[in-house]
Amino acid sequence: MYKLYGSTTSPYVRRLRIWLANTQHEFINMQIFESEDRTILITKNPALKVPALEHIEGDKSTLIYDSRVIYRYLVEQLNYASLSWEQENQLTLIDSVNDSLVQMFLLSKSDVIADTEKLFFKLQKERVNNVLAELNEHVERGKFNSWNYPAICLFSLIDWIEFRSLHNLKGLSALLDFHQENAPRIEVTATDPRM
């Protein structure tokens, strides 16, 4: 039995929920900043981050942290094909934007004003702009035409950006078209954080 711990608003959790749509698992929705769920979270992931996966087989329980590691673990458990090196690089690009935007989002929730003259903010914005432009080109070249794990991760990122109003995607028409084309998928609508 697989138990996925996370929150409905996390793009890292959502990518796994979408990918696991046809795999039996239990999703435990947590309010990770509230003390009760935080107490549970620390027992599932000492890094206090979501997602965390618990794989229960009989009396044995295995805990796996981080969406990318969870994906690799499940691929091995379910005997699926591994990602190519190109796909691994795509995930690195997607994760770099996700990580930068998560940090910026948490700072804004902590009432820290983004000062574009400060090195931290300059670096994050530069990374986000460069990588989104690169991903837009990848979509234009058909690199995300298949609905596979990297495409799911890209969709989860773009939808999270839109959901949280984190970045202006104007001019990134391939990314916006990709988002619009995949938004009606049943596993996407079933995991929509706006619900």
Side-chain angles (χ1 to χ4, degrees):
M1 172 185 205
Y2 299 110
K3 288 187 176 185
L4 182 65
Y5 295 85
S7 67
T8 57
T9 55
S10 166
Y12 293 105
V13 174
R14 188 177 188 199
R15 61 173 64 171
L16 289 167
R17 292 180 67 210
I18 291 171
W19 185 71
L20 285 168
N22 296 314
T23 302
Q24 189 171 1
H25 70 285
E26 180 183 354
F27 173 60
I28 293 90
N29 184 23
M30 307 179 78
Q31 303 303 317
I32 63 169
F33 299 115
E34 293 180 10
S35 62
E36 186 178 325
D37 282 354
R38 205 140 182 86
T39 301
I40 295 167
L41 181 58
I42 199 167
T43 68
K44 304 303 175 187
N45 185 348
L48 288 168
K49 293 171 74 174
V50 291
L53 180 81
E54 185 174 18
H55 182 191
I56 303 166
E57 294 178 285
D59 60 354
K60 181 183 171 203
S61 176
T62 304
L63 289 167
I64 308 293
Y65 322 131
D66 187 78
S67 63
R68 203 155 175 180
V69 179
I70 291 168
Y71 172 78
R72 288 180 58 205
Y73 177 81
L74 289 169
V75 161
E76 186 177 297
Q77 292 294 311
L78 301 170
N79 294 316
Y80 292 161
S82 298
L83 296 176
S84 68
W85 288 114
E86 180 181 36
Q87 291 172 319
E88 289 284 1
N89 278 337
Q90 290 169 341
L91 283 185
T92 297
L93 293 174
I94 293 164
D95 288 349
S96 71
V97 174
N98 253 325
D99 291 345
S100 288
L101 291 175
V102 164
Q103 294 304 314
M104 301 280 278
F105 178 71
L106 290 174
L107 285 169
S108 73
K109 288 294 184 187
S110 302
D111 296 324
V112 174
I113 309 278
D115 182 346
T116 56
E117 298 306 311
K118 300 286 185 190
L119 181 62
F120 175 81
F121 294 106
K122 282 171 106 172
L123 293 176
Q124 302 313 312
K125 289 182 179 190
E126 179 183 33
R127 176 180 296 130
V128 169
N129 288 332
N130 288 342
V131 173
L132 287 176
E134 179 72 17
L135 289 169
N136 192 70
E137 288 180 22
H138 282 224
V139 173
E140 286 174 344
R141 294 195 312 260
K143 301 286 186 177
F144 288 95
N145 284 353
S146 296
W147 187 244
N148 55 19
Y149 189 66
I152 290 168
C153 293
L154 179 61
F155 178 87
S156 297
L157 167 65
I158 300 306
D159 196 61
W160 186 66
I161 289 171
E162 295 281 271
F163 168 56
R164 294 293 194 189
S165 302
L166 295 171
H167 189 79
N168 185 347
L169 298 173
K170 186 178 179 184
L172 300 170
S173 57
L175 288 180
L176 291 169
D177 290 347
F178 169 83
H179 178 261
Q180 186 175 357
E181 288 165 16
N182 290 292
R185 291 179 180 273
I186 191 158
E187 63 274 25
V188 166
T189 59
T191 59
D192 191 333
R194 299 160 189 86
M195 305 300 227

